[in-house]
Every structure is written in C-alpha cells, then in structure tokens.
Amino acid sequence: MKKLILILLGCLAFACENIIPEPPAVDEILDGPIDGLNSSEQARFLAGDFAFNDEVFSSGTGLGPTFVATSCGSCHAGDGKGHPFTTLTRFGQTAPNTPPNLLIGGPQLQNRAIPGYTPEILPEGTPFMKLTPPAVTGLGLLSALTDEQILTNADPYDLDGDGISGVPNYVNPPAYFVPKWFHQDANGRYMGRFGKKAATIDLLQQTVSAYNQDMGITSTFEPVDPFSGLEVDQEVSDQTVRDVVFYLRTLKAPIQRSQNDQQIIQGKTLFSQIQCGDCHTPEWTTPTSDIVALSNKTFFPYTDLLLHDMGPGLDDGVTEGSAETFEWRTPPLWGLGLSPNSQGGSYFLMHDGRASSIEEAILLHGGEANSSRTKFESLSAEDRTALIRFLESL
C-alpha cells in the first residue's frame, strides 16, 4: 500500500509539474514593486495593490449612481493601458485657463449607471475628447522628479530653433494639495505632470479624481458627489486613498527586453537620429526622495512630461488647465511593447486609442513632430522595422 501511495504521489507531482505553467519573466509583466522596499513598505504596497486591483465597488458600497468603471483595475488591467471599453470622455473646457462647464455635466461623462438611474449622455454638439487609460507603472519615479528638472527641457519660444517648444501645463491645485519641496509656485498654480494633458499635479490628485469621477466614490479630499453636486459622507477612507497612492508610487518601472539584440540597438540609434528623443527624453535621475527606493535612481521612461503642439489632426477642441486644445503631454514609451497584454491582444495607441499599431501612431504625429515623422517615412523598410522593434522592446 505504501508503495502504491508513493507511486500515486509521484504521478500527481509529475502531472502538476506539466499542468502548472511557468511564471512569466519579470520583464514580461508590468505589475510588481520597485526593488528596495523595506518590510513595512512592502506591506503597504500590498494594501494598495488590493485596493487598486481587487476592490470592486457596487451600489451598496458607494458606486455611482453614474460612473465609468467599478474599480481601479478595470481600467488598468495588470497595471497596463486601458481598452476602448474603458476609455474616458472629457468635455466642458474649450480654451486654456478657463474652468470646465459644470452646468452641462463636465468635466467627465459618466456613461454607466446603477439600476434605477440613467447614464449621462453628451449634450448634442458638445466638443469632447476621448482618453484611453494609461499604464500606471513607474509613476513613482516620474513623481519624484523636481519641477526644476522638468522645466530644464521647456522651450516655449523655441529659442534653440529646433522646432520643439515643450511647455508646462500650469493648473489650479485642489484644496487638499500640499506643495512638496520640489514644486514651484507659479502665482498660485502648479505644474502638472500626469494625464494626457499633464493637468494633474501629483498622484494624490490623480487617485482622488479617479475615485470621484470614474467611480462616483467620495472621500474627505473630494466630498462632492459628481451626480448630485452635493457633499456626502466619504465612501472610501483616507487610509485606502493613501495606500493606493503609495502603491502607484512604488510600482516598478517597465523593464526593456532584448537590449543586446543588434536590430534593437540599431533601432535605438535611429530613434535618436530622427529626433524622437527630443520630446521622448530617454533618461532621468531622481533626487533624494522620502522613499529610499526612489532616491537617486536613473531610469528610462522616454518622456519629457511637457506639452507639445501635435497638429490639427490631433486637436479635439477640448483641453485642461493652461494647455491649448492641440497640445498633448509626451507620453512615456516604457512598457509600450506590453500594451496588447492589457488591451485584448491588440494595440490602441495615441491619447484616444485611435492607432492600431506603433507605426500608425508615429504617422499620426503632426505639429512639432512633423520633422521626425517625415524622417521616419523616409527610412528604408529595414530601418523602419528596426525602429519598431526597439519601441516594442521598451
């Protein structure tokens, strides 16, 4: 009998070994903490991970009554980019430095509703912009940079004559915003660095706004219910909000794959030669941070976090903060090649997901990117392939 049991256990172990797949390589996934967190920070990361990815709201826990999504993770599956199903609709502000028109329901459309309520409908003829949710990994490194570092690349009047004139988006901070040592006050406004229009100053504002505008969840930071316009009791605790902020700050940065592949190395050289890196700044280094794991770290996001004129083809007639309607923040390119993992196996690129491939996204660039796009179009088929492979490796 003992021999039979051992045989059965051996067979079971063999079967399990062949059924259970190998875990994905660390550079094939976006989820996971940044290296260097201590035990208490790891515990807080896990608390934020649960709130972000596992907590799903319902009508009984404060959802809505009108909303866009039921959880953070439903817009950022695996911490990656969103899908057209979760794309947001913003409207109500059609010129820089003007408040959104709240009387018509701005700034965001809540296109879903709990039973007994009617989803919002965009008023006929109202200009709007669609915004596909971005990947959320590596945000802590971007948030650790100083305003001074980012402004080093700003050139609003194109004084160097290179055709690139990145500008910051200065926005009015929310009442709960507390400036850090690295923020610069610009007559009561502060520079945004997150969001498609760089209209969000920090990750607390990003988190509070997402709970409120995406899920209809109120907090002590934002107690006004977007449906009724009235202040109501908090539906998510301060601790949970701050745990999510900590989670976003301590998610690891995407890891480039196949860095020693000769074709990818060639593509990286071409990326620089056709001046893509003039806006998609490859490399940054953080100063000292309150989180040791974020301190003095060199990283490669491929963004300057500034606004650029992207031409009439990408002008939706709607904006945020001090940005023009044709200006968009340079999106980070890290994690680009992993986008299909969270987008149903396909690419949905650009601010609204209109591009179904990396090449199509490049060809949609206009305005300040005209020169780089033209140079890309002039590349040989072999060079185009190398450049695309480099971008896919990020």
Side-chain angles (χ1 to χ4, degrees), residues 150 152-155 158 160-167 268-284 302-308 310 329-331 333 365 368-373 375 390:
I150 297 168
T152 299
N153 291 319
D155 185 16
D158 191 22
D160 61 7
D162 66 352
I164 305 298
S165 54
V167 297
K268 182 178 181 180
T269 300
L270 290 165
F271 181 87
S272 177
Q273 287 178 349
I274 67 173
Q275 297 176 286
C276 299
D278 287 1
C279 296
H280 291 281
T281 306
E283 180 180 332
W284 294 87
Y302 292 88
T303 177
D304 61 5
L305 298 174
L306 295 171
L307 298 170
H308 294 274
M310 294 301 292
R329 185 200 69 158
T330 307
L333 295 180
H365 282 54
E368 295 174 40
N370 270 331
S371 175
S372 291
R373 187 199 64 228
K375 291 174 182 176
F390 164 67

Side-chain angles (χ1 to χ4, degrees), residues 198-212:
T200 302
I201 302 170
D202 62 15
L203 293 175
L204 177 59
Q205 182 184 4
Q206 176 65 42
T207 301
V208 169
S209 177
Y211 270 118
N212 189 259

Side-chain angles (χ1 to χ4, degrees), residues 83-244:
H83 185 273
F85 182 77
T86 58
T87 290
L88 311 174
T89 301
R90 297 267 174 87
F91 64 103
Q93 182 181 340
T94 56
N97 300 312
T98 59
N101 187 347
L102 302 181
L103 297 178
I104 61 172
Q108 183 164 294
L109 186 74
Q110 279 79 38
N111 62 329
R112 298 181 177 89
I114 63 174
Y117 291 84
T118 303
E120 292 180 343
I121 299 174
L122 196 68
E124 187 174 353
T126 302
F128 64 92
M129 57 183 175
K130 294 280 192 179
L131 304 177
T132 300
V136 295
T137 51
L139 297 184
L141 292 165
L142 295 174
S143 68
L145 297 173
T146 68
D147 285 0
E148 183 180 9
Q149 284 179 282
I150 297 168
L151 290 171
T152 299
N153 291 319
D155 185 16
Y157 305 107
D158 191 22
L159 297 180
D160 61 7
D162 66 352
I164 305 298
S165 54
V167 297
N169 188 350
Y170 286 108
V171 297
N172 293 313
Y176 54 81
F177 172 69
V178 178
K180 304 294 192 301
W181 68 269
F182 51 80
H183 289 124
Q184 294 186 4
D185 186 333
N187 297 317
R189 295 189 299 167
Y190 289 85
M191 186 176 70
R193 62 180 73 186
F194 299 111
K196 308 289 185 176
K197 292 283 188 180
T200 302
I201 302 170
D202 62 15
L203 293 175
L204 177 59
Q205 182 184 4
Q206 176 65 42
T207 301
V208 169
S209 177
Y211 270 118
N212 189 259
Q213 290 292 315
D214 299 355
M215 293 173 275
I217 300 296
T218 57
S219 63
T220 61
F221 304 100
E222 181 49 84
V224 177
D225 170 36
F227 176 76
S228 67
L230 303 175
E231 286 195 19
V232 300
D233 292 338
Q234 70 182 102
E235 294 163 324
V236 64
S237 71
D238 289 7
Q239 185 63 54
T240 296
V241 170
R242 294 194 182 280
D243 284 345
V244 169

Side-chain angles (χ1 to χ4, degrees), residues 242-253:
R242 294 194 182 280
D243 284 345
V244 169
V245 172
F246 188 85
Y247 173 71
L248 294 175
R249 290 186 68 194
T250 53
L251 275 167
K252 70 179 178 68

Side-chain angles (χ1 to χ4, degrees), residues 306-388:
L306 295 171
L307 298 170
H308 294 274
D309 174 1
M310 294 301 292
L314 295 176
D315 185 349
D316 292 336
V318 181
T319 192
E320 297 172 331
S322 63
E324 297 286 352
T325 57
F326 49 79
E327 290 179 324
W328 298 94
R329 185 200 69 158
T330 307
L333 295 180
W334 58 6
L336 178 62
L338 299 179
S339 299
N341 292 355
S342 61
Q343 295 188 312
S346 301
Y347 279 111
F348 298 96
L349 305 177
M350 305 302 285
H351 67 273
D352 55 4
R354 70 179 69 182
S356 59
S357 69
I358 294 176
E359 180 163 357
E360 183 181 0
I362 295 171
L363 296 176
L364 285 170
H365 282 54
E368 295 174 40
N370 270 331
S371 175
S372 291
R373 187 199 64 228
T374 300
K375 291 174 182 176
F376 173 78
E377 291 173 318
S378 299
L379 293 176
S380 67
E382 180 182 351
D383 283 348
R384 279 198 190 195
T385 298
L387 179 54
I388 298 298

